[in-house]
Amino acid sequence: DTAVSQTPKYLVTQMGNDKSIKCEQNLGHDTMYWYKQDSKKFLKIMFSYNNKELIINETVPNRFSPKSPDKAHLNLHINSLELGDSAVYFCASSLGIEKLFFGSGTQLSVL
Amino acid sequence: GIQVEQSPPDLILQEGANSTLRCNFSDSVNNLQWFHQNPWGQLINLFYIPSGTKQNGRLSATTVATERYSLLYISSSQTTDSGVYFCAVDTTGANNLFFGTGTRLTVIP
């Protein structure tokens, strides 16, 4: 199936731990993103990569580091997790500025 | 920064009814998209519509960029239309989409 897929779907961890979320798209898109959806359902962009180059880096703590090994992958690594990091994280991709396609989300719970 | 207001915040419809969701934005945009987040959390892109009108089945959308608003029409609503509808806009040209707070739609049988 052509899609944006991210793993894991659920991530439960303790404060202070380091975790990663993986994202892959097979749509042939050149731009990939990470979005964060908080408990009030507000969606906010975190990062955007175009052809492996960082394009958008919104005000996000340094503990969050995206890594794009190639155009089809954009992973998110989070260091020293805090309670406030609990949210749903969505990966997305697009061809240029056209339609954005989202993955199914990763529910991160920090205890 | 840009403000994106969606109305109404909540909407309850009987199955088969029609509805109009509105998105107002405070600045000129070069990109506008509508999304549906279903009750299971999946975000589906409905329209890429920086201007003009598009139709897809029972859904259609119109963006009047000069007047800074967009409308999403849902006709003959079905229970599967339930969820949150988001409007998102970009002013940067880099697809840096800024999302509105959404309209929560509940369709009852």
Side-chain angles (χ1 to χ4, degrees), chain A residues 40-65:
Chain A
K40 296 183 179 178
K41 301 291 190 185
F42 183 66
L43 273 156
K44 184 173 169 57
I45 192 167
M46 300 173 69
F47 301 102
S48 162
Y49 269 75
N50 178 270
N51 288 317
K52 297 172 54 180
E53 182 183 343
L54 181 65
I55 301 298
I56 298 167
N57 182 359
E58 290 296 305
T59 307
V60 175
N62 291 339
R63 300 181 294 102
F64 290 79
S65 54

mmCIF file of all heavy atoms in Angstrom, chain A residues 40-65:
data_model
loop_
_atom_site.group_PDB
_atom_site.id
_atom_site.type_symbol
_atom_site.label_atom_id
_atom_site.label_comp_id
_atom_site.label_asym_id
_atom_site.label_seq_id
_atom_site.Cartn_x
_atom_site.Cartn_y
_atom_site.Cartn_z
ATOM 1 N N LYS A 40 -5.607 19.169 23.548
ATOM 2 C CA LYS A 40 -6.768 19.940 23.078
ATOM 3 C C LYS A 40 -6.941 19.818 21.567
ATOM 4 O O LYS A 40 -7.692 20.570 20.958
ATOM 5 C CB LYS A 40 -6.623 21.404 23.472
ATOM 6 C CG LYS A 40 -6.633 21.603 24.980
ATOM 7 C CD LYS A 40 -6.564 23.071 25.345
ATOM 8 C CE LYS A 40 -6.611 23.237 26.865
ATOM 9 N NZ LYS A 40 -6.498 24.654 27.271
ATOM 10 N N LYS A 41 -6.217 18.884 20.959
ATOM 11 C CA LYS A 41 -6.311 18.581 19.532
ATOM 12 C C LYS A 41 -5.671 19.642 18.640
ATOM 13 O O LYS A 41 -5.871 19.619 17.426
ATOM 14 C CB LYS A 41 -7.779 18.388 19.081
ATOM 15 C CG LYS A 41 -8.481 17.280 19.801
ATOM 16 C CD LYS A 41 -7.908 15.952 19.392
ATOM 17 C CE LYS A 41 -8.761 14.806 19.927
ATOM 18 N NZ LYS A 41 -8.155 13.499 19.629
ATOM 19 N N PHE A 42 -4.915 20.574 19.244
ATOM 20 C CA PHE A 42 -4.266 21.584 18.414
ATOM 21 C C PHE A 42 -3.040 20.979 17.732
ATOM 22 O O PHE A 42 -2.188 20.373 18.378
ATOM 23 C CB PHE A 42 -3.855 22.790 19.251
ATOM 24 C CG PHE A 42 -3.257 23.898 18.443
ATOM 25 C CD1 PHE A 42 -4.015 24.590 17.510
ATOM 26 C CD2 PHE A 42 -1.919 24.245 18.585
ATOM 27 C CE1 PHE A 42 -3.461 25.602 16.740
ATOM 28 C CE2 PHE A 42 -1.362 25.261 17.825
ATOM 29 C CZ PHE A 42 -2.132 25.939 16.898
ATOM 30 N N LEU A 43 -2.969 21.158 16.413
ATOM 31 C CA LEU A 43 -1.875 20.609 15.606
ATOM 32 C C LEU A 43 -0.864 21.699 15.309
ATOM 33 O O LEU A 43 -1.222 22.766 14.805
ATOM 34 C CB LEU A 43 -2.416 20.078 14.279
ATOM 35 C CG LEU A 43 -2.917 18.640 14.280
ATOM 36 C CD1 LEU A 43 -3.924 18.443 13.170
ATOM 37 C CD2 LEU A 43 -1.755 17.678 14.122
ATOM 38 N N LYS A 44 0.415 21.394 15.555
ATOM 39 C CA LYS A 44 1.451 22.391 15.315
ATOM 40 C C LYS A 44 2.645 21.736 14.644
ATOM 41 O O LYS A 44 3.093 20.669 15.052
ATOM 42 C CB LYS A 44 1.890 23.019 16.638
ATOM 43 C CG LYS A 44 2.904 24.149 16.484
ATOM 44 C CD LYS A 44 3.153 24.832 17.808
ATOM 45 C CE LYS A 44 4.341 25.779 17.756
ATOM 46 N NZ LYS A 44 4.207 26.809 16.716
ATOM 47 N N ILE A 45 3.157 22.393 13.620
ATOM 48 C CA ILE A 45 4.317 21.856 12.919
ATOM 49 C C ILE A 45 5.555 21.964 13.804
ATOM 50 O O ILE A 45 5.727 22.923 14.560
ATOM 51 C CB ILE A 45 4.543 22.580 11.579
ATOM 52 C CG1 ILE A 45 5.556 21.825 10.724
ATOM 53 C CG2 ILE A 45 4.959 24.031 11.787
ATOM 54 C CD1 ILE A 45 5.620 22.281 9.280
ATOM 55 N N MET A 46 6.402 20.929 13.735
ATOM 56 C CA MET A 46 7.665 20.947 14.464
ATOM 57 C C MET A 46 8.835 21.118 13.495
ATOM 58 O O MET A 46 9.691 21.967 13.685
ATOM 59 C CB MET A 46 7.829 19.638 15.246
ATOM 60 C CG MET A 46 6.748 19.369 16.255
ATOM 61 S SD MET A 46 6.892 17.726 16.971
ATOM 62 C CE MET A 46 8.385 17.901 17.940
ATOM 63 N N PHE A 47 8.882 20.248 12.503
ATOM 64 C CA PHE A 47 9.998 20.232 11.559
ATOM 65 C C PHE A 47 9.480 19.931 10.153
ATOM 66 O O PHE A 47 8.464 19.279 9.970
ATOM 67 C CB PHE A 47 11.022 19.134 11.907
ATOM 68 C CG PHE A 47 11.618 19.247 13.264
ATOM 69 C CD1 PHE A 47 11.176 18.424 14.286
ATOM 70 C CD2 PHE A 47 12.633 20.157 13.524
ATOM 71 C CE1 PHE A 47 11.727 18.511 15.550
ATOM 72 C CE2 PHE A 47 13.186 20.247 14.783
ATOM 73 C CZ PHE A 47 12.737 19.427 15.801
ATOM 74 N N SER A 48 10.274 20.395 9.184
ATOM 75 C CA SER A 48 10.011 20.061 7.800
ATOM 76 C C SER A 48 11.347 19.806 7.116
ATOM 77 O O SER A 48 12.295 20.578 7.301
ATOM 78 C CB SER A 48 9.284 21.215 7.113
ATOM 79 O OG SER A 48 9.372 21.101 5.717
ATOM 80 N N TYR A 49 11.416 18.734 6.342
ATOM 81 C CA TYR A 49 12.613 18.402 5.568
ATOM 82 C C TYR A 49 12.234 18.315 4.103
ATOM 83 O O TYR A 49 11.261 17.662 3.736
ATOM 84 C CB TYR A 49 13.184 17.047 6.009
ATOM 85 C CG TYR A 49 14.212 17.138 7.091
ATOM 86 C CD1 TYR A 49 13.836 17.391 8.393
ATOM 87 C CD2 TYR A 49 15.562 16.979 6.811
ATOM 88 C CE1 TYR A 49 14.779 17.488 9.401
ATOM 89 C CE2 TYR A 49 16.514 17.067 7.811
ATOM 90 C CZ TYR A 49 16.118 17.313 9.104
ATOM 91 O OH TYR A 49 17.049 17.405 10.100
ATOM 92 N N ASN A 50 13.057 18.941 3.260
ATOM 93 C CA ASN A 50 12.874 18.829 1.823
ATOM 94 C C ASN A 50 14.134 18.224 1.240
ATOM 95 O O ASN A 50 15.211 18.793 1.381
ATOM 96 C CB ASN A 50 12.596 20.202 1.205
ATOM 97 C CG ASN A 50 12.443 20.124 -0.303
ATOM 98 O OD1 ASN A 50 13.406 20.252 -1.058
ATOM 99 N ND2 ASN A 50 11.223 19.904 -0.745
ATOM 100 N N ASN A 51 13.997 17.054 0.594
ATOM 101 C CA ASN A 51 15.162 16.365 0.046
ATOM 102 C C ASN A 51 16.299 16.247 1.064
ATOM 103 O O ASN A 51 17.450 16.557 0.759
ATOM 104 C CB ASN A 51 15.658 17.068 -1.223
ATOM 105 C CG ASN A 51 14.723 16.848 -2.387
ATOM 106 O OD1 ASN A 51 14.231 15.749 -2.611
ATOM 107 N ND2 ASN A 51 14.469 17.907 -3.123
ATOM 108 N N LYS A 52 15.956 15.836 2.257
ATOM 109 C CA LYS A 52 16.903 15.605 3.351
ATOM 110 C C LYS A 52 17.456 16.876 3.976
ATOM 111 O O LYS A 52 18.300 16.816 4.859
ATOM 112 C CB LYS A 52 18.067 14.721 2.895
ATOM 113 C CG LYS A 52 17.697 13.323 2.474
ATOM 114 C CD LYS A 52 18.881 12.587 1.861
ATOM 115 C CE LYS A 52 20.096 12.596 2.764
ATOM 116 N NZ LYS A 52 21.233 11.884 2.151
ATOM 117 N N GLU A 53 16.993 18.036 3.530
ATOM 118 C CA GLU A 53 17.487 19.293 4.087
ATOM 119 C C GLU A 53 16.429 19.921 4.991
ATOM 120 O O GLU A 53 15.256 20.028 4.603
ATOM 121 C CB GLU A 53 17.835 20.259 2.965
ATOM 122 C CG GLU A 53 18.394 21.586 3.446
ATOM 123 C CD GLU A 53 18.663 22.537 2.294
ATOM 124 O OE1 GLU A 53 18.720 22.068 1.129
ATOM 125 O OE2 GLU A 53 18.800 23.743 2.541
ATOM 126 N N LEU A 54 16.849 20.362 6.182
ATOM 127 C CA LEU A 54 15.921 20.976 7.122
ATOM 128 C C LEU A 54 15.428 22.313 6.574
ATOM 129 O O LEU A 54 16.220 23.197 6.238
ATOM 130 C CB LEU A 54 16.609 21.196 8.468
ATOM 131 C CG LEU A 54 15.747 21.815 9.568
ATOM 132 C CD1 LEU A 54 14.603 20.889 9.952
ATOM 133 C CD2 LEU A 54 16.599 22.148 10.788
ATOM 134 N N ILE A 55 14.109 22.456 6.454
ATOM 135 C CA ILE A 55 13.514 23.673 5.914
ATOM 136 C C ILE A 55 12.854 24.478 7.018
ATOM 137 O O ILE A 55 13.002 25.682 7.121
ATOM 138 C CB ILE A 55 12.467 23.344 4.829
ATOM 139 C CG1 ILE A 55 13.106 22.554 3.695
ATOM 140 C CG2 ILE A 55 11.789 24.602 4.312
ATOM 141 C CD1 ILE A 55 14.207 23.290 2.969
ATOM 142 N N ILE A 56 12.070 23.820 7.858
ATOM 143 C CA ILE A 56 11.331 24.477 8.926
ATOM 144 C C ILE A 56 11.753 23.868 10.248
ATOM 145 O O ILE A 56 11.807 22.659 10.382
ATOM 146 C CB ILE A 56 9.806 24.297 8.745
ATOM 147 C CG1 ILE A 56 9.345 24.934 7.443
ATOM 148 C CG2 ILE A 56 9.039 24.867 9.936
ATOM 149 C CD1 ILE A 56 7.937 24.520 7.042
ATOM 150 N N ASN A 57 12.058 24.714 11.201
ATOM 151 C CA ASN A 57 12.377 24.262 12.546
ATOM 152 C C ASN A 57 11.704 25.226 13.496
ATOM 153 O O ASN A 57 12.252 26.282 13.803
ATOM 154 C CB ASN A 57 13.891 24.231 12.762
ATOM 155 C CG ASN A 57 14.275 23.711 14.132
ATOM 156 O OD1 ASN A 57 13.419 23.390 14.951
ATOM 157 N ND2 ASN A 57 15.555 23.639 14.400
ATOM 158 N N GLU A 58 10.475 24.889 13.867
ATOM 159 C CA GLU A 58 9.725 25.769 14.735
ATOM 160 C C GLU A 58 10.333 25.754 16.134
ATOM 161 O O GLU A 58 11.308 25.044 16.393
ATOM 162 C CB GLU A 58 8.256 25.339 14.770
ATOM 163 C CG GLU A 58 7.532 25.603 13.470
ATOM 164 C CD GLU A 58 7.446 27.075 13.128
ATOM 165 O OE1 GLU A 58 6.949 27.856 13.944
ATOM 166 O OE2 GLU A 58 7.889 27.453 12.024
ATOM 167 N N THR A 59 9.786 26.542 17.015
ATOM 168 C CA THR A 59 10.323 26.638 18.367
ATOM 169 C C THR A 59 10.082 25.322 19.090
ATOM 170 O O THR A 59 9.013 25.090 19.658
ATOM 171 C CB THR A 59 9.635 27.800 19.131
ATOM 172 O OG1 THR A 59 9.739 28.967 18.352
ATOM 173 C CG2 THR A 59 10.290 27.997 20.476
ATOM 174 N N VAL A 60 11.063 24.473 18.995
ATOM 175 C CA VAL A 60 10.989 23.146 19.600
ATOM 176 C C VAL A 60 12.234 22.975 20.463
ATOM 177 O O VAL A 60 13.324 23.369 20.047
ATOM 178 C CB VAL A 60 10.951 22.071 18.486
ATOM 179 C CG1 VAL A 60 10.987 20.676 19.090
ATOM 180 C CG2 VAL A 60 9.717 22.236 17.620
ATOM 181 N N PRO A 61 12.090 22.401 21.663
ATOM 182 C CA PRO A 61 13.293 22.197 22.502
ATOM 183 C C PRO A 61 14.366 21.394 21.783
ATOM 184 O O PRO A 61 14.067 20.530 20.937
ATOM 185 C CB PRO A 61 12.728 21.424 23.704
ATOM 186 C CG PRO A 61 11.274 21.764 23.743
ATOM 187 C CD PRO A 61 10.854 21.966 22.327
ATOM 188 N N ASN A 62 15.618 21.661 22.130
ATOM 189 C CA ASN A 62 16.756 20.958 21.524
ATOM 190 C C ASN A 62 16.728 19.464 21.786
ATOM 191 O O ASN A 62 17.458 18.710 21.125
ATOM 192 C CB ASN A 62 18.078 21.525 22.062
ATOM 193 C CG ASN A 62 18.325 22.929 21.566
ATOM 194 O OD1 ASN A 62 17.755 23.338 20.557
ATOM 195 N ND2 ASN A 62 19.158 23.670 22.273
ATOM 196 N N ARG A 63 15.915 19.044 22.733
ATOM 197 C CA ARG A 63 15.819 17.615 23.043
ATOM 198 C C ARG A 63 15.177 16.840 21.881
ATOM 199 O O ARG A 63 15.292 15.621 21.821
ATOM 200 C CB ARG A 63 14.972 17.410 24.307
ATOM 201 C CG ARG A 63 15.528 18.081 25.552
ATOM 202 C CD ARG A 63 14.651 17.823 26.757
ATOM 203 N NE ARG A 63 13.329 18.443 26.646
ATOM 204 C CZ ARG A 63 12.233 17.791 26.339
ATOM 205 N NH1 ARG A 63 12.251 16.492 26.092
ATOM 206 N NH2 ARG A 63 11.067 18.436 26.276
ATOM 207 N N PHE A 64 14.525 17.562 20.995
ATOM 208 C CA PHE A 64 13.914 16.930 19.826
ATOM 209 C C PHE A 64 14.865 17.077 18.644
ATOM 210 O O PHE A 64 15.252 18.199 18.293
ATOM 211 C CB PHE A 64 12.580 17.604 19.476
ATOM 212 C CG PHE A 64 11.499 17.344 20.472
ATOM 213 C CD1 PHE A 64 11.457 18.041 21.671
ATOM 214 C CD2 PHE A 64 10.522 16.397 20.219
ATOM 215 C CE1 PHE A 64 10.450 17.796 22.596
ATOM 216 C CE2 PHE A 64 9.507 16.147 21.133
ATOM 217 C CZ PHE A 64 9.474 16.853 22.333
ATOM 218 N N SER A 65 15.242 15.957 18.042
ATOM 219 C CA SER A 65 16.150 16.037 16.899
ATOM 220 C C SER A 65 15.635 15.139 15.774
ATOM 221 O O SER A 65 15.530 13.925 15.932
ATOM 222 C CB SER A 65 17.570 15.642 17.300
ATOM 223 O OG SER A 65 17.568 14.375 17.910
#
